[in-house]
Amino acid sequence: MNFSLSFRSLFTLALVLHSFLGSALALDGYVVANVDGKRVYVKDNRRPSLYTGDFGDCMGSSSINVTRFDAAYYKDNMTVLFHLAGDTALKNESIMMYIGVFAYGESRFDLTFNPCNANIYSACPIEAGTPIEASGIIPISQNDVAGIPPIALSIPDFEGEAILRIFANSTQSEIGCFSAIVTNGATFSHPAAVGSILGVFTVIAIISSFATAIYGDNVTVMRKHYAHSLSVFVVFSVWQHIFFTGALSMNWPSVLVAFWSNYAWTGGMIYAESMQNTINNFIGSNKGNTSAVGAAGVGVANPYLGGGYDIHQIYKRNVFPKALNIPGLMKRSKYNRVARYLERTLAKRELADAADGFAWYGQPVKPGLPLPGNYSGFAGTLAPENIPASNAFMTGFLWFLVLIAIVAFSVAAFKFILDGLSRSKVIKDDRLAFFRANYLGFTALAILRTLFIGFFSMVFLSLFQFAYLSSPGPVAIAAIVFLIMLIGIGGLAYYACFYRHKVGNYVTEPDRLNMEKKKVLKVIPWFGFSRSSKGPRSEDKVYAGSIPWWKVHSVVGTKKSIHDDEGFTKKFGWLASRFRRTRWWFFVVWLIYEFVRACFLAGASGSPITQVFGLLAVELIAFVGIIIMRPFEGQRLNLIVVYLLGFSKVVTIGLSAAFDIRFNLQRIPATVIGVVIIVIQGVLTIIVLIAVIIGAISSYMSVTRNREEFRPKRWAPIREKYFKHMDKKEKDVPTPPPPPPQPETPQGPYFSVNSIKRVAKIEDEDAEFISEIYAGANPSQLSFSSHKKDIVGDVPTGRARAVSRAASIRSQMSTTSLPYGARVHRASWSSRDFNEHFGNEHRRSTYGSPALPEGRSRTLSGSVYNQFTGSSDNVSNCPITPVMLPVDMSQSSSPAPFSRSRSKGSQMKPRPQLQTLVSENEIPPLLQTRNAKANTNPNAST
């Protein structure tokens, strides 16, 4: 008995201490959690793995007014926390609650419970005048969240919804429905960071373009440099293309809408609480129907949201309301009333503290916005900005007026700042004198240029106002703005063409446009166009027909370039200055193209299929046409607008067609396609940012073109090249065709002999042979070099001697049959020749040569030599044979005269000279002719 009382007392004391400690820890921001099977305390303000954001009424006539609805899933302790606050006009109604979590269009978690057995006493039952405060921590198992993939906890812009449905037990019908977005905190939407970066680069582009437009005093030169700077019009065209892609009435994935929110400011969609309140008061209670553009609206019945529900499944299920289990508490004891009381009190306190300390929750969405988690159409694109679709036109129009005021004020203020700097001697008095003298004209042109840049956005927003909302006030303003943009800007464009046509003495004549059948890549049928005025039809081509056309030409023989007309540039340079000389009228084509785009985006917003495929056809035609025209004078502008921007538009719209609800594309493949679009548009953004930096550098080069010194100096060659490029592009003449290929010269043999190296022979080492060669040379010919070696007797001395005659004699024809500079060698003979002329008595002996006939000398004199080589005597009767000189061999004991070895002390005997005589075959043709005449006429004189 005593032991029992003692045990009960200690147990009661422990529970009391536990309650106090739990309360203290809860006050310090900690709650009880069960992590990995262990009871620990974790911060209650930690970010959940998944949690809800803004919520809205998805029933339209809910009997319960909910002011707070949030839920969070904590992976660390496998719990779901929820909180519900509101009020009702129903009296004493028991209810059932259903919570469902959907991820990428599929149900991932659902729970049905009775609030009476879940410690939600304010809803058990609900009564009029009694605030509903429902909160709880629901432990879950791995099976309950098995449908949630792990990637959902980290992927950017997780696409999920949490739906709370409330049913009345008395009628077994739905009396309340609320939908909230589910997110993990990771997102592509960073307007404060990304939007600011885009804004800074846009301001850089504005300053760079404006600097080239005002610097200088020669209008023609100023226009040339302005045409090659980066156009602000091109920059805004890219930004607005990316953002207004969301105007298509498609069911967009959340990643795309989050990414486009970074560009919302470029379309004038900037949220300001005071401005939105003013617009709401001006519009009134009519907020339009967001379902007209494909988005599920707040306060509208959405019975099929989240796949709908089956009331019979809810009430036929044997659902026993289960009380919330507080992690870590001991099992209830049926024998201890005090323990029961303390347990219930502790549970209620922990639940209340956990719910009150939770900071990751959203707010009720404002009227006119779509349900959170639904991003369809232009209304869904505007949802992250908290701007209703009904307020889109007025928001864009007011910010456009603010932009015009900023532009006008900035230009005028810059002029007065320059005047102040000039008076204070900070800058020279003549600095930007042309701009300061004409600043009012520059201000007007800057405003007109701003209207031209904002033409598409204002026309689209005006037409969207007509199609979406019929409130009289906004519609009247939209009509005025539409007429100003269409008739004002369009009329000025027409007047620019008329002015050029009139001043330039142009006439318009009828013409025909021939359609030629072609094939692209030899497979795809295509059509080519040619004017009849350019040339007659060719018989080699197949034509599909022709349509009436016209041609405009000047009646003057030589027409002046439009960019050389200073009057036209001053009036309409804001329209035509950036385009090529032959494409100056392209601004008219661009305005028509932008107007057609706006009509499809806004006018066909209620017909998604017509809208997307009609716009795709327009973009394809524009893409091909702009590639053919290449309208801009600046090469970078053609690269961005003609190729990159056109490609991005065509591909983006083509991929966006898959998001139509008729195709019922699953949300995960839709997200993948959305990421592809983000990559394409992200690459385009990066290229534009790089072009802005390059444009700033080129503008710096342009405004320093009159300086003698340019910094940095290593950029000076680049600047000169850039200026030459501008001069070439300004002329806008076609590149001359390459020169025709030269005929191929026939190639010679695969080798050629350029020199011959003579190999040394045995005779070259014989001094007697060398002396014979030099001794037998023609003394009357000067064919050796000026440093010919001197010869003493029969042996060369090796000393050089000078030539005794003038060098001009070398130009005379050789008196021998040998070519100039040739070397005399012995002719070859045979024993047959020797026997024929001298007989047996003159045969060569073993040790010497046969004796010469009587009357023959040892050597031939120069006259005799000339007689045989250069005279006109008849030499046919004179035998010309090699002659051997006699040699006395009796006094010599040496072997043959050509022996290479001689005994020491023996005396070398002179070798008999072998005279070379000319053979009949070597007689020149002239001598052969004369000899032939002499033979036929023996009486001819010699």
Side-chain angles (χ1 to χ4, degrees), residues 165-197:
R165 298 185 185 272
I166 303 174
F167 302 92
N169 293 340
S170 60
T171 60
Q172 294 188 357
S173 62
E174 185 181 25
I175 60 175
C177 177
F178 300 92
S179 173
I181 183 177
V182 177
T183 181
N184 56 16
T187 179
F188 284 118
S189 178
H190 299 284
V194 179
S196 300
I197 294 174

Side-chain angles (χ1 to χ4, degrees), residues 7 17 63 79 219 268 367 439 528 534 589 612 674 698 713 768 868:
F7 176 78
L17 293 176
S63 301
T79 57
V219 176
Y439 79 98
K534 297 294 184 180
V589 178
V612 67
S698 64
K713 293 183 178 180
E768 295 180 10
F868 288 101

Side-chain angles (χ1 to χ4, degrees), residues 190-512:
H190 299 284
V194 179
S196 300
I197 294 174
L198 296 178
V200 169
F201 276 84
T202 304
V203 171
I204 294 174
I206 293 173
I207 296 174
S208 302
S209 179
F210 180 71
T212 57
I214 66 174
Y215 180 80
D217 53 5
N218 188 318
V219 176
T220 303
V221 177
M222 294 166 65
R223 187 221 63 85
K224 178 177 67 175
H225 287 270
Y226 170 76
H228 288 266
S229 63
L230 186 63
S231 175
V232 182
F233 156 73
V234 171
V235 174
F236 271 95
S237 295
V238 174
W239 300 161
Q240 291 180 356
H241 146 66
I242 294 175
F243 177 71
F244 283 115
T245 303
L248 292 171
S249 299
M250 300 288 115
N251 187 14
W252 303 112
S254 58
V255 289
L256 268 179
V257 176
F259 176 75
W260 290 335
S261 66
N262 301 316
Y263 301 82
W265 64 271
T266 63
M269 300 296 107
I270 304 174
Y271 180 81
E273 185 69 25
S274 58
M275 179 183 290
Q276 294 302 312
N277 292 335
T278 303
I279 295 174
N280 290 332
N281 295 332
F282 179 71
I283 292 177
S285 59
N286 183 11
K287 297 297 182 181
N289 183 10
T290 57
S291 61
V293 292
V298 175
V300 181
N302 295 277
Y304 300 103
L305 184 67
Y309 65 93
D310 186 358
I311 191 67
H312 301 288
Q313 292 294 330
I314 293 176
Y315 279 96
K316 286 184 178 180
R317 294 166 66 185
N318 188 13
V319 179
F320 292 95
K322 48 185 178 180
L324 294 180
N325 295 322
I326 308 303
L329 292 183
M330 299 176 59
K331 184 182 267 188
R332 290 179 176 176
S333 174
K334 60 181 179 179
Y335 301 104
N336 196 324
R337 296 182 180 179
V338 178
R340 260 186 235 169
Y341 172 78
L342 292 177
E343 179 182 352
R344 185 166 57 251
T345 302
L346 177 60
K348 291 170 63 177
R349 182 180 296 115
E350 287 186 343
L351 291 174
D353 292 340
D356 292 338
F358 182 71
W360 304 93
Y361 62 91
Q363 299 293 335
V365 297
K366 297 181 179 180
L369 291 175
L371 280 177
N374 185 276
Y375 303 105
S376 297
F378 192 45
T381 303
L382 294 176
E385 310 304 320
N386 289 325
I387 298 176
S390 58
N391 298 11
F393 165 72
M394 291 301 301
T395 303
F397 172 65
L398 292 177
W399 282 115
F400 190 64
L401 293 179
V402 173
L403 176 63
I404 292 176
I406 292 175
V407 169
F409 174 79
S410 300
V411 176
F414 184 66
K415 185 264 180 186
F416 291 107
I417 291 174
L418 290 176
D419 290 343
L421 295 176
S422 176
R423 292 190 185 96
S424 59
K425 304 301 180 182
V426 176
I427 63 175
K428 296 180 180 180
D429 295 337
D430 59 347
R431 182 70 66 187
L432 297 177
F434 184 82
F435 164 73
R436 291 158 61 186
N438 301 274
Y439 79 98
L440 292 178
F442 277 98
T443 303
L445 295 180
I447 294 175
L448 291 174
R449 185 68 176 176
T450 305
L451 292 173
F452 179 74
I453 293 173
F455 177 82
F456 167 75
S457 61
M458 296 313 302
V459 170
F460 163 74
L461 292 175
S462 300
L463 294 175
F464 183 80
Q465 186 70 30
F466 300 152
Y468 180 75
L469 189 63
S470 59
S471 296
V475 169
I477 297 177
I480 296 174
V481 173
F482 177 78
L483 293 176
I484 290 175
M485 301 303 294
L486 182 63
I487 299 178
I489 302 300
L492 289 175
Y494 170 78
Y495 178 67
C497 297
F498 174 78
Y499 179 86
R500 178 61 178 170
H501 187 275
K502 180 179 179 181
V503 175
N505 296 322
Y506 283 87
V507 296
T508 304
E509 294 181 355
D511 197 358
R512 296 198 70 85

